[in-house]
Amino acid sequence: MPKPLSTPQLSLLLAAIISLTPFSIDAYLPALSQISRDLGTDLHHLELTVSSFFIGYAFGSLVGGPLSDHKGRRLVAGIGLLCFMVASLAITMCESFESLLLLRFLQAASGGVTTVVVPAIVRDRFPRQQAAQVMSTIAFIMMAAPLVAPIVGSAILATWGWRPIFLFLAVYGLALYLLTRAFMPESRPNGEPPSAFSLKKTLSVYRFVLSHRQARPFLLIIVCSNAIFFSYLTQAAYLLYEYMGVTELQFPMVFSGFVVCLMIANRCNAFLLRTHDSLQILRWGLMAALIVASALLVAALFTGPGSLWVMGFVLLLISSLGFVNSNSQVNFLHFFGENSGTAASAMRASQMLVGASAGALVSALYNGTPVPLACVMLFMAGCAFVSMRKAGIAVDCEGGVVSP
């Protein structure tokens, strides 16, 4: 029987699990140039492995959630971590671009199976208001990964080459597996025993989740806020290198500054949750995002390259997401008790699909100015705000869990 964890300890473990994704992406990016030379392929071609990772992650998320509803969170997380470790070890022996592409897909799918149980576990164990605080804490801890991962990847790359980066990821996966086996309790509602997996039942639950009238506005808020962040990531290199003229040495410091501001916003959100309802904070965050996105478009239209106004508004907009993400996710999952794993899968897959589409749209509209980015961000902020306005009284603070 796993040893019981306090809420801070459980938050730390869940944050370490969900950090698999940023570590798998950001520790690998510094090595792309060396991998392209080693495998004899061009860098642009090799960037397909990043796309395959996102596709694999979305696929794994869709599979992992329903499995965890039927077989248990702890079991599915353990299997996902073992598969992640095996895929990472296999990548260290890659000799071709094709094998790397396939193994990155499998590594990401394993990571998706594992990490999708995190919001489901939070939903299982905590009431709505406390769940929002826990999710905010997890997000705060997890955001250290994009700061640390490139440094770790670059250090390993400079010392031993690119293959040991994936050996490091395999060791990280093994450590998480051992911690999960030792400390993660099963959290499925009422301690229900594992049940048989049914594709028909799973598709029925997905249909129920996506068509739920009261939960749907929160799902739209989640995907729109994620699309804002993906749009920023897509244009980060342009904004910093070309628009602001920062150097390669300055880039990681400025980029990290945005992450730090988002971390601070998450901590402020956790503090506000002690005295304010998560729905109220969510409304504040969405209103701030809409106002700042509008100001960003005005600044993009009427200022020139290197405008601190544009960068300042982008920074404020990204920071406002710290008051939106955790609160919208918790309120969405609140409607789904025994099906919270499947709901988390739908949420993660939708985030990836819409986020990637928004990033691709910004790239397609690129005209050498930040105007297309500002337009897409304002559109997404507007959709999220309208969705919140239409949500009405969507959550009963005393409960109100429903199932098909």
Side-chain angles (χ1 to χ4, degrees), residues 178-248:
L178 296 175
L179 290 171
T180 298
R181 296 299 299 173
F183 298 112
M184 181 184 287
E186 181 51 61
S187 67
R188 292 175 73 244
N190 304 319
E192 297 170 359
S195 58
F197 178 81
S198 167
L199 179 60
K200 182 178 180 180
K201 169 71 172 177
T202 297
L203 293 177
S204 174
V205 175
Y206 268 124
R207 183 167 57 252
F208 167 73
V209 168
L210 295 174
S211 62
H212 193 285
R213 183 178 58 83
Q214 291 177 295
R216 194 161 46 202
F218 294 105
L219 181 60
L220 182 58
I221 293 169
I222 291 166
V223 298
C224 287
S225 62
N226 195 67
I228 291 173
F229 189 71
F230 266 58
S231 298
Y232 161 69
L233 289 180
T234 302
Q235 292 292 290
Y238 156 72
L239 282 174
L240 299 182
Y241 281 134
E242 296 184 23
Y243 189 75
M244 294 302 297
V246 305
T247 66
E248 290 186 359

Side-chain angles (χ1 to χ4, degrees), residues 165-177:
I165 292 176
F166 293 96
L167 179 60
F168 162 78
L169 291 174
V171 172
Y172 184 56
L174 175 61
L176 288 177
Y177 173 78

